[in-house]
Each structure stands twice: as structure tokens, then as C-alpha cells.
Amino acid sequence: MSSGWRWRDLPSGVKFCGRKFSRKKSGTAMVRVKARYLLCELNVSDRTQLLLLDDRAVLAAVKTAVARIHGDYGAALCSMRFSIKYLNAHTGIVFLRFLRRAYKLLWSALPFITSIDARGHKIPCFLNCLHVGGTIRTCQKFLVRYNTQQLHRMLPKCRNEEEKQEVRKAILNCSLTKGNNEEFHIESESEEDEEAQS
């Protein structure tokens, strides 16, 4: 038996070398559960079908894709603290929250989502992951930068000032008229194809 003293034998609140030592209470300790937020974009051929989507439909589609790709292990991880924090049915932007240790499982299953069943309709679509962040705030900051880049990409393709005002108004209202959207989509695809061939 040693006759030396131990730190735990000191009474609570004792000062030693200018530091105050206090005995911690045994029991529960508060630990932050770390999560990852995936900022995804829902891409559909007909933008009007986005209005049919709700968070439960997207959640179910993601869970089934993870279960199909990663089996019971993926389904179990997907049931723990997985949620949809934000869904914009006009723009198709989705924030997915997932445990940090398992976000790669979710990320790897996203390309296998080919359609979402919502309100009795099967909507063909795919999820494009734009950003992975540790907080919602970082994802929001990225989304602002991304939308700014998209706006700067769209404005030079406008033929006149009236079209530029239409694009600005559509960005603010989060909607494009069907005819203008199809024309812009066809033009942007042809320019992207030309850039890829170069």
C-alpha cells in the first residue's frame, strides 16, 4: 500500500498551482452527435413533376436504394438519424442529414435512384450530389455560390435585355416557363457537347 495521495482524494474545488480542480460527476456526459449534410439536386425531365414530390417520398426512395445496395447493414445505418432537412419542390434542392461515420454509404447509393414514387406517380429522376458539408450553414453558403454561378452561366446566353430580365425574375421566383426552359436546356446541352468534344 502506498502512502501517496491521489488526485481523486482531493476535495472538490481545490486550487493547485493556480488551477482549480473539480471532481466531475459520474454518469452521463454530453457528446455531440456528428452528422454530414448532403446537398443534392433532383434532376427530372419535366420540371412540373417536382411539385408532386414531398420529403417522405424522397426519404423512402433513398432508404430503399441504400437497402438495395448495402443490404441490412445499410438499412440499419439509414434508420439512425437519417432525415431530410430541406426540400424545395420548385428548384429540386434537397438537404439530406446522415451520420458522419456512414455518409459514404448514402453517397454511394444515390446514383442508383432512378425514380421516386410520389402521390401515385412514378417520377423518373436522378439525384446529383452538389456538396457534402458538416453543417447546414456551409451547405447554404455553397448553395448561394452555386446559384450565383448558374446565374452567371445563364445570363450570357440570353439574346436581349428582356430575356435577361426574365431569367433574373425566374431565379427570384424559382420558376421558368416551359417553353423558355426547354429552349435553354437544348442550347446548354449543345454547348456542353461542343465543349466536351474540344
Side-chain angles (χ1 to χ4, degrees), residues 153 157 187-197:
R153 213 177 101 204
K157 295 177 184 175
E187 288 177 1
S188 65
E189 281 182 353
S190 64
E191 289 182 7
E192 289 173 2
D193 290 340
E194 291 173 0
E195 291 175 1
Q197 292 174 355

Side-chain angles (χ1 to χ4, degrees), residues 47 154 166-167 170-171 173-181 184:
R47 301 290 289 179
M154 289 171 72
E166 243 180 77
V167 168
I171 295 275
N173 293 335
C174 298
S175 64
L176 280 172
T177 58
K178 189 175 181 182
N180 291 343
N181 190 15
F184 175 74

Side-chain angles (χ1 to χ4, degrees), residues 19-35:
R19 292 186 179 169
K20 184 176 181 180
F21 291 92
S22 62
R23 220 178 290 159
K24 292 184 181 177
K25 296 178 183 177
S26 61
T28 61
M30 297 297 286
V31 177
R32 186 174 73 130
V33 177
K34 296 187 179 177

Side-chain angles (χ1 to χ4, degrees), residues 60-118:
V62 172
K63 281 186 176 184
T64 54
V66 171
R68 189 175 63 236
I69 302 303
H70 298 292
D72 291 338
Y73 178 70
L77 282 176
C78 198
S79 66
M80 296 180 347
R81 301 189 58 89
F82 171 58
S83 65
I84 295 189
K85 297 306 266 181
Y86 175 76
L87 171 66
N88 189 333
H90 295 286
T91 60
I93 297 295
V94 182
F95 284 173
L96 304 171
R97 184 186 72 188
F98 210 68
L99 286 176
R100 184 179 77 167
R101 65 179 178 192
Y103 81 94
K104 289 182 182 178
L105 289 177
L106 173 69
W107 197 0
S108 65
L110 289 180
F112 296 98
I113 297 173
T114 56
S115 64
I116 295 176
D117 295 324

